[in-house]
């Protein structure tokens, strides 16, 4: 900005003279020398196939990504178990309606569900008649969901709960607007004491009369007696395929065309302590029977509605291969000795059987009972997360590796230890590579894999992101550095099998980790620039990598790659060239594509991700401030000159005509 201001202060004539002098100084030959050129070799002989699986996603239960996020359940702590199995129950965020003269609310362990014994006991002291008349609105409890429930006019919500009562029951279930104002929908459940003397499942469908993004679910009565509640659920009926995924969030994932999905963590798999790690068996079967657990790394409770089955279903719905990461007996603070790890190995084998075993097998039959007799397409498992340096990891890993290799020879096994050198004492099919760093370092890591051994197991770049000051809560700068890094990974995709950004999601009300690819709250969402960068790479999986030569003496840092890919639905062939200008100057680039006959015509679409300020971000107020902008030209030839904006990534799609 400073130099532009200075320029404005000189008169136009002065400026003209200055500019003339500048051009005089640089003879035409010199000028040509300074040109930046990119030559792409598109002749058939030189291309190299990029792995089909290259770009995917990594879903971790962090930042309320699942509970209060992609998983559409509106009720938080639906079983009143949030305190954990051995501690006095914490009913948070449930809130009492009424006061001690009208209602006493506590928990006890009288639930009909063996794995989650805590139930909510409401002792109603007031009545619709007599000395102690209940307040007009009744007494009971409400659940605000995850920072407010998004209730939309005309939409249907299925409320299910379990109830028991000492007296005749007259319980009103309602969806109430912001701050308890406005009845959006309600239904009253009535019956005699005999009807509800034992635990009874109640289902009611509520249709919203109005929209409120900050609603609550309320259960109230004005009848004296004792009522127990347990496993209270409110599900929108318009989830993706009815599978429980919040539709718009699902669609943002789907737009990334992920070829795989790694889940459910991350550190979430490890736990600060093993007792709080994700254990798949506690997350399958009927949702009412799941105990839920406290994720002590990201510090929140999850009812595990999004359990192992639902993750596999999510993968299938996305057309992505599931990559299941399981705990290998290592948490952040405690470890299982290798001599005692066999029960965990069996748990992993059982988990594989659950995913893909015959419907008549022990665990395959549970999957079938859950509505999926066909096996899920589980082909990859990862043993632990970021545990390579832990004392018990290598020993434990080998127990898992050999047991899985024997039982399921086709399953690819991913290690946390860099296996690129193919160590004999540490066999693996792939190894994790994670990087969180500043923007300059990320950009320079485009070359990291240039020198990796070409013979060992392939790398799975399963977590990467620019973090810290450069990233803010999701800056253009971070995204451009990542774009440069990804171009380097494309170039090295002979030794890199898979790549995924992390974290995928953040609920804006619980930013445990920033930045993230997708930001949401109860009803709104947007992609950060890092999300949009990933979209520029969606056609790379399974495409052909084309060698290209970037020749530049520019002070801008530049990196480029080229692929050819086929849009099989439209039967069209494209060459996509991506160039990152990681510098503050505008860059002119001459692009030529070799390997076509003279006169070959192309349609050309240019997609640019940039912004006025490199620290610009998107937000709920401006969700599309930094998003790709597309422009098209018709009938260009194989040589074009293009302008690259300062701090930008540009994708040129040449449609071969
Ligand atoms: C790169 O550009 C320089 C200066 O124009 C030129 O001398 C050199 O031959 C070019 N290199 C390639 C590989 O094209
Ligand atoms: C309880 O609430 C009622 C109104 O519903 C009020 O009249 C009463 O004073 C309150 N009692 C206490 C102890 O706060
Ligand atoms: C339930 O309670 C409401 C509000 O007090 C009352 O209008 C209704 O008649 C009651 N229903 C039954 C079946 O008792």
């Amino acid at each position: 900005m400073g130099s532009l201001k200075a320029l404005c202060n000189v008169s136009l004539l002065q400026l003209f003279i200055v500019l003339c002098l500048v051009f005089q100084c640089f003879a035409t030959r010199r000028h040509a020398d300074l040109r930046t050129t990119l030559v792409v070799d598109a002749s058939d002989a030189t291309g190299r196939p990029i792995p089909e699986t290259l770009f995917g996603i990594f879903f971790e239960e962090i930042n309320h990504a699942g509970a209060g996020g992609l998983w559409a359940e509106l009720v938080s702590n639906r079983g009143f178990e949030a305190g954990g199995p051995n501690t006095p129950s914490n009913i948070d965020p449930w809130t009492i309606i009424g006061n001690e003269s009208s209602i006493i609310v506590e928990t006890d362990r009288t639930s009909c569900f063996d794995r989650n014994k805590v139930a909510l006991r409401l002792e109603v002291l007031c009545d619709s008649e007599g000395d102690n008349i209940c307040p007009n609105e009744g007494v009971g409890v409400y659940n605000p969901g995850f920072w407010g429930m998004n209730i939309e006019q005309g939409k249907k919500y299925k409320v299910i709960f379990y109830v028991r009562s000492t007296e005749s029951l007259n319980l009103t279930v309602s969806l109430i607007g912001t701050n308890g104002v406005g009845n959006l929908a309600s239904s009253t459940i009535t019956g005699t004491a005999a009807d509800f003397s034992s635990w009874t499942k109640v289902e009611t469908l509520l249709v919203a009369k109005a929209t409120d993004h900050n609603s609550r679910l309320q259960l109230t009565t004005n009848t004296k007696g004792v009522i127990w509640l347990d496993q209270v659920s409110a599900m929108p009926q318009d989830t993706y395929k009815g599978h429980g995924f919040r539709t718009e969030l699902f669609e943002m994932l789907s737009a990334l065309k992920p070829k795989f999905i790694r889940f459910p963590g991350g550190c979430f798999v490890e736990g600060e302590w093993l007792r709080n790690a994700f254990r798949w068996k506690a997350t399958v079967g009927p949702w009412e029977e799941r105990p839920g657990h406290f994720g002590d790394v990201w510090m929140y409770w999850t009812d595990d509605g999004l359990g192992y089955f639902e993750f596999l279903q999510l993968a299938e719905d996305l057309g992505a291969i599931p990559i299941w990461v399981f705990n290998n007996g290592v948490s952040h603070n405690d470890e299982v000795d290798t001599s005692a790890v066999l029960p965990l190995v069996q748990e992993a084998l059982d988990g594989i059987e659950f995913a893909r075993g015959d419907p008549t097998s022990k665990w395959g039959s549970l999957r079938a009972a859950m509505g999926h007799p066909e096996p899920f397409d589980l082909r990859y498992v990862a043993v632990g997360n970021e545990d390579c340096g832990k004392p018990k990891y290598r020993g434990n890993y080998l127990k898992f590796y050999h047991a899985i290799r024997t039982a399921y020879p086709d399953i690819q096994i991913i290690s946390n230890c860099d296996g690129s050198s193919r160590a004999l004492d540490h066999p693996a099919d792939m190894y994790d590579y994670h990087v969180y760093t500043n923007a300059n370092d990320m950009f320079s890591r485009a070359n990291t894999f240039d020198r990796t051994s070409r013979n060992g197991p392939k790398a799975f770049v399963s977590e990467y992101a620019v973090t810290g000051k450069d990233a803010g809560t999701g800056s253009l700068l971070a995204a451009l550095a990542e774009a440069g890094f990804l171009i380097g990974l494309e170039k090295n995709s002979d030794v890199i099998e898979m790549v995924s950004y992390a974290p995928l999601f953040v609920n804006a009300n619980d930013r445990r980790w920033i930045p993230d690819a997708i930001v949401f709250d109860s009803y709104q969402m947007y992609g950060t620039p890092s999300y949009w960068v990933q979209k520029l790479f969606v056609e790379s999986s399974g495409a052909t990598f084309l060698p290209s030569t970037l020749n530049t003496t520019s002070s801008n840092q530049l990196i480029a790659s080229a692929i050819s890919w086929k849009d099989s639905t439209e039967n069209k062939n494209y060459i996509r060239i991506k160039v990152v200008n990681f510098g503050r100057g505008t860059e002119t680039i001459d692009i030529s594509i070799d390997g076509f006959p003279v006169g070959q015509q192309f349609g050309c679409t240019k997609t640019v991700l940039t912004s006025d300020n490199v620290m610009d971000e998107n937000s709920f107020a401006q969700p599309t401030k930094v998003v790709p902008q597309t422009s098209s030209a018709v009938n260009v030839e194989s040589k074009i000159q293009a302008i690259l904006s300062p701090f930008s990534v540009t994708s040129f799609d040449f449609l071969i005509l």
Side-chain angles (χ1 to χ4, degrees), residues 128 170 188 190 222:
S128 55
N170 186 343
T188 299
T190 57
N222 38 30

Side-chain angles (χ1 to χ4, degrees), residues 598-613:
V598 177
Q600 170 74 45
Q601 297 284 300
F602 301 88
C604 182
T605 302
K606 180 178 167 184
T607 304
V608 185
L609 182 73
T610 190
S611 195
D612 295 340
N613 188 309

Side-chain angles (χ1 to χ4, degrees), residues 359-646:
T360 59
S361 64
K362 179 175 179 200
W363 294 103
S365 68
L366 176 55
R367 181 195 71 239
M370 292 181 74
H372 204 286
E374 293 301 312
F376 287 109
D377 189 18
L378 184 69
R379 291 185 238 163
Y380 300 85
V381 296
V383 184
N385 171 69
E386 290 182 4
D387 291 331
C388 184
K390 303 279 172 54
K392 304 298 177 197
Y393 182 75
R394 285 172 175 269
N396 290 4
Y397 173 87
L398 286 178
K399 298 284 185 197
F400 286 89
Y401 179 88
H402 291 301
I404 294 168
R405 176 86 339 149
T406 304
Y408 300 96
D410 66 298
I411 286 200
Q412 302 280 292
I413 302 167
I414 302 162
S415 169
N416 295 166
C417 297
D418 180 347
S420 53
S421 55
R422 195 187 280 284
L424 282 176
D425 65 340
H426 194 77
D429 298 304
M430 269 193 271
Y431 66 95
D432 279 316
Y433 176 92
H434 292 182
V435 55
Y436 295 101
T437 186
N438 64 49
N440 278 326
D441 186 52
M442 183 65 84
F443 189 84
S444 70
R445 283 182 191 230
N447 304 319
T448 294
F449 291 91
D450 291 359
R451 293 167 301 277
T452 300
S453 156
R454 268 36 205 171
N455 305 315
K458 304 273 175 84
F460 178 9
V461 179
S462 52
E463 300 184 24
Y464 74 89
V466 171
T467 50
K469 197 159 58 41
D470 290 346
T473 54
S475 67
L476 173 66
L477 178 65
L480 295 177
E482 289 155 8
F485 178 62
L486 293 182
I487 284 177
L489 298 187
E490 255 182 2
K491 289 188 176 184
N492 284 290
S493 57
D494 57 328
V495 291
I496 297 165
E497 196 72 10
M498 298 179 171
V499 183
S500 49
Y501 178 89
L504 187 56
F505 279 125
V506 66
N507 185 317
N509 296 291
D510 186 32
R511 292 179 183 262
R512 298 278 156 178
W513 183 290
I514 49 170
D516 310 271
I518 298 168
V519 184
F520 64 87
D521 64 11
S522 78
Y523 72 105
Q524 352 171 52
M525 64 210 64
Y526 62 87
T528 61
S530 296
Y531 173 85
W532 293 108
V533 158
Q534 290 176 64
K535 279 207 76 175
L536 298 179
F537 288 80
V538 298
E539 306 304 347
S540 296
S541 305
T544 301
F545 181 80
L546 302 176
S548 60
T549 308
L550 181 69
N551 194 2
T552 184
T553 54
S554 172
S555 57
N556 294 319
Q557 282 186 281
L558 302 168
I559 189 168
S561 69
I563 61 166
S564 66
W565 65 279
K566 187 185 179 94
D567 180 340
S568 39
T569 47
E570 301 208 354
N571 201 25
K572 288 179 173 169
N573 291 295
Y574 292 88
I575 290 174
R576 172 172 290 186
I577 296 168
K578 296 185 287 293
V579 194
V580 179
N581 179 3
F582 199 62
R584 58 188 72 257
T586 300
E587 186 75 31
T588 303
I589 185 167
D590 291 311
I591 298 176
S592 56
I593 304 173
D594 290 354
F596 286 98
V598 177
Q600 170 74 45
Q601 297 284 300
F602 301 88
C604 182
T605 302
K606 180 178 167 184
T607 304
V608 185
L609 182 73
T610 190
S611 195
D612 295 340
N613 188 309
V614 76
M615 292 311 292
D616 280 352
E617 301 187 354
N618 294 326
S619 60
F620 289 133
Q622 289 182 285
T624 57
K625 183 174 180 169
V626 191
V627 297
Q629 304 294 336
T630 296
S631 54
S632 294
V634 282
N635 293 19
V636 302
E637 297 201 350
S638 60
K639 289 187 195 319
I640 63 160
Q641 186 170 78
I643 306 292
L644 306 174
S645 305

Side-chain angles (χ1 to χ4, degrees), residues 128 136 168-172 188-191 221-223:
S128 55
N136 279 342
S168 62
L169 186 74
N170 186 343
L171 188 68
T172 300
T188 299
I189 315 299
T190 57
T221 185
N222 38 30
T223 306

